Amino acid sequence: MPNEPTPNVRTSDVAIIGAGVIGLAIAWRLAARGASVQVFDRGAAGGGASHAAAGMLAACAEAEPGEEALVALGRESQARWPAFAAELLEVSGVDVELRTEGTLVVALTADDQARLNHQLVFQQKLGLPLQWISAAETRRREPHLAGKLAGAVLSPEDTQVDNRKLARALRLAAETAGASVSEYRAVSTISSRAGRVDGLVLAEGAKVSADVVVLAAGAWSRRIAGLRPELLPPVRPIKGQMLALRMDPAAPLLTHVVWAPAAYLVPRRDGRLLVGATVEEKGYDTSLTAGGMLTLLEAAWRAVPAVEELPIDEMWVGHRPGSRDDAPILGAGPIDGLIYATGHYRNGILLTPITADAIARLVLDGVSEAAIRPFGIERFGSLPAAAE
Ligand code: FAD
Ligand code: GLY
C-alpha cells in the first residue's frame, strides 16, 4: 500500500483512534506539549461510552480483592482530578462540575450491612478512607432515603463529574492546544512496516502518516484491521442501560452519589438524577429493555421512594470497554510506535487524568510511569517481539 498521505489529510506525528475522553485527553496533553496530533472518530466526538457514563470517580467504594494495582491507579487518578478539572476550566471555559459531597453505599437491610462490612474490612486494610455510619447519620445526610435503613459506608473522596461536559471540555482543550479532531472519519487499518507503525488508513481510503498511533477506540478497539490477532487488545463491549429522572434542581432528592443494592443514583446540579446501570454481555446490542429499566427503577425506588413522582428525562445504552481482567490496557506493545490506551471498563472517567498524563509522558519522554506499568498488554500472555 502506498505510504503517501492524501492531500486533504496533513501528516501528523501522533494519530489517535477514538475521540472519547481517553483519546481527547491524551490529545490535549500531547498537543499542549507541542506535538502535532490528529484524532479520528467514526462518529461524534465524545459520543461513545464517554457519553453514556455516570461520571463517578469511585476509586474507593468499588475496590474488590484482587484489584489492588487497579485501586492504586484509581487513587492516583482521583488525586489528580481537582487540578485536572481546574486546568480544563481555565483552558476550555467548561466547568465539568467536580462535586465534593462524596458517596454513600447504602445498606437497607441487615444482610446488606453484613455484606458491606465484610468488604469494608478489606478496603480499610488497603488504607482507603471509608467508614461505616449509622442509619441516623445516613438519614441526616440524605433525608429522602427509605424509611428502613441499616446505615451506610461513607466514601468522602469518591466524587463525580459531568462526563458529557468533560468530553466537551477535553475537545475544546485539545483543539485550543492545536490538535485536530476529525469526526465521522472512521479508521479502518493501522498501517505498519518492518515492526513499526507508519500511520493509519481511514475507511474513506485516505492514508494518514504518523510516527505514533494511539489505539483509544474503547469497546471497538479490536475492530481495527492491520494488527495480528494476538496484538489486538482483549477488549469487548459490556452493555450498560441507564436512565435519568428529573428532580427540582432547587430541592434535589439527593446530593451524594448513592449506591443502593442493584443500582446507583447520581444527582447532577441541573436536577438530573442518573440511575444506572445494567452490566450485560450482549455484544454491541443497543436495545433498551423492559427488564433493564424495571430493575433499575425498582432498585432506585426501594432506596429513595420519592423517585416515584419524578418524570423520566432520558434512557440510553452504552458499551463499556471491558478487558479480560477488567483493568485498562496502557502503554507500548511489540510494534514500535503503537500505544494502547483502552479497556477502561467501568472506570474510564475516573482514570482519564492518569491515562492522559502517563501516555503523553510515554510518547514524548519515553518514560513509563510506575502507576501504569502493571497494565501493559503483555500481561495477557507472551507476545512476539516485533510484527510486520
Ligand atoms: P469511548 O468513549 O467509547 O470512546 C471510543 C471512541 O472510539 C468512540 O467515540 C468511538 O466512536 C470511536 N471509535 C470506535 N471505532 C473507531 C474507528 N474504527 N475509527 C475511529 N473511531 C472509532 N466510568 C467511570 O469512571 N465512572 C462511571 O460512573 C462510569 N459509568 C459508566 C456507565 C455506563 C452505563 C457505561 C457504559 C460506562 C461507564 N463508565 C464509567 C465507563 C466509561 O464510560 C468508559 O470507561 C470510558 O468512557 C472509556 O472511554 P474511551 O474514550 O476509551 O471510550
Ligand atoms: N462505573 C459505573 C458503571 O460502569 O456502570
Side-chain angles (χ1 to χ4, degrees):
M1 179 160 307
N3 245 0
E4 306 303 319
T6 55
N8 60 333
V9 180
R10 72 181 162 83
T11 301
S12 85
D13 294 330
V14 183
I16 299 178
I17 310 172
V21 290
I22 298 300
L24 291 169
I26 294 169
W28 174 35
R29 288 311 205 201
L30 286 170
R33 286 189 55 192
S36 167
V37 182
Q38 290 188 84
V39 188
F40 295 94
D41 202 290
R42 61 178 197 142
S50 301
H51 186 79
M56 296 177 291
L57 310 181
C60 305
E62 290 185 68
E64 284 179 17
E67 293 188 340
E68 287 79 355
L70 183 57
V71 172
L73 186 74
R75 288 290 281 160
E76 179 63 42
S77 201
Q78 199 174 47
R80 294 182 192 204
W81 253 107
F84 192 79
E87 210 183 323
L88 260 182
L89 175 60
E90 197 180 311
V91 299
S92 72
V94 178
D95 180 357
V96 300
E97 295 180 14
L98 175 63
R99 291 183 62 161
T100 54
E101 291 89 344
T103 293
L104 290 171
V105 187
V106 170
L108 298 180
T109 64
D111 270 3
D112 297 339
Q113 180 176 1
R115 187 175 39 79
L116 289 183
N117 275 324
H118 179 71
Q119 214 174 330
L120 188 58
V121 172
F122 162 76
Q123 292 165 329
Q124 286 177 332
K125 271 195 197 136
L126 292 184
L128 298 175
L130 297 164
Q131 66 177 109
W132 177 257
I133 59 172
S134 66
E137 172 59 13
T138 307
R139 192 174 310 288
R140 190 190 65 73
R141 289 169 171 270
E142 292 294 0
H144 290 282
L145 283 169
K148 191 167 166 282
L149 192 63
V153 172
L154 170 66
S155 182
E157 294 183 23
D158 283 349
T159 55
Q160 59 148 313
V161 294
D162 183 322
N163 43 287
R164 294 182 183 178
K165 289 188 175 164
L166 173 65
R168 207 181 320 140
L170 287 170
R171 185 202 179 145
L172 284 167
E175 289 181 330
T176 303
S180 84
V181 178
S182 299
E183 300 180 294
Y184 302 99
R185 297 187 88 183
V187 173
S188 69
T189 305
I190 293 171
S191 170
S192 62
R193 184 166 293 173
R196 93 143 290 117
V197 297
D198 61 5
L200 301 172
V201 182
L202 303 182
E204 70 205 33
K207 172 81 191 274
V208 181
S209 294
D211 304 317
V212 173
V213 169
V214 179
L215 180 52
W220 300 269
S221 293
R222 288 181 69 79
R223 294 189 140 193
I224 317 283
L227 297 178
R228 295 212 307 262
E230 66 272 24
L231 301 182
L232 286 168
V235 171
R236 67 194 192 288
I238 309 289
K239 178 182 171 187
Q241 302 185 49
M242 197 144 113
L243 68 134
L245 305 172
R246 184 152 292 282
M247 305 180 291
D248 176 357
L253 292 183
L254 296 175
T255 54
H256 299 71
V257 170
V258 168
W259 280 79
Y264 53 76
L265 296 95
V266 183
R268 294 282 204 242
R269 289 220 190 286
D270 64 1
R272 273 159 61 95
L273 179 63
L274 311 190
V275 182
T278 65
V279 179
E280 302 172 62
E281 297 273 2
K282 293 270 172 57
Y284 295 100
D285 176 33
T286 56
S287 46
L288 284 159
T289 64
M293 290 300 117
L294 181 67
T295 304
L296 296 175
L297 283 169
E298 194 196 6
W301 171 73
R302 284 192 189 287
V304 185
V307 298
E308 192 173 75
E309 301 296 332
L310 301 180
I312 293 178
D313 199 57
E314 188 186 346
M315 296 181 270
W316 65 93
V317 170
H319 295 98
R320 307 172 182 89
S323 78
R324 210 176 286 153
D325 60 5
D326 295 344
I329 300 163
L330 304 172
I335 302 188
D336 281 347
L338 176 63
I339 306 285
Y340 298 89
T342 186
H344 291 75
Y345 188 40
R346 305 192 75 174
N347 288 307
I349 309 301
L350 167 68
L351 296 174
T352 295
I354 184 82
T355 301
D357 292 348
I359 297 296
R361 212 150 163 232
L362 182 61
V363 170
L364 297 176
D365 306 325
V367 173
S368 177
E369 284 193 24
I372 67 162
R373 271 183 234 144
F375 301 102
I377 192 167
E378 66 283 351
R379 74 183 186 274
F380 297 107
S382 59
L383 293 167
E388 64 279 359

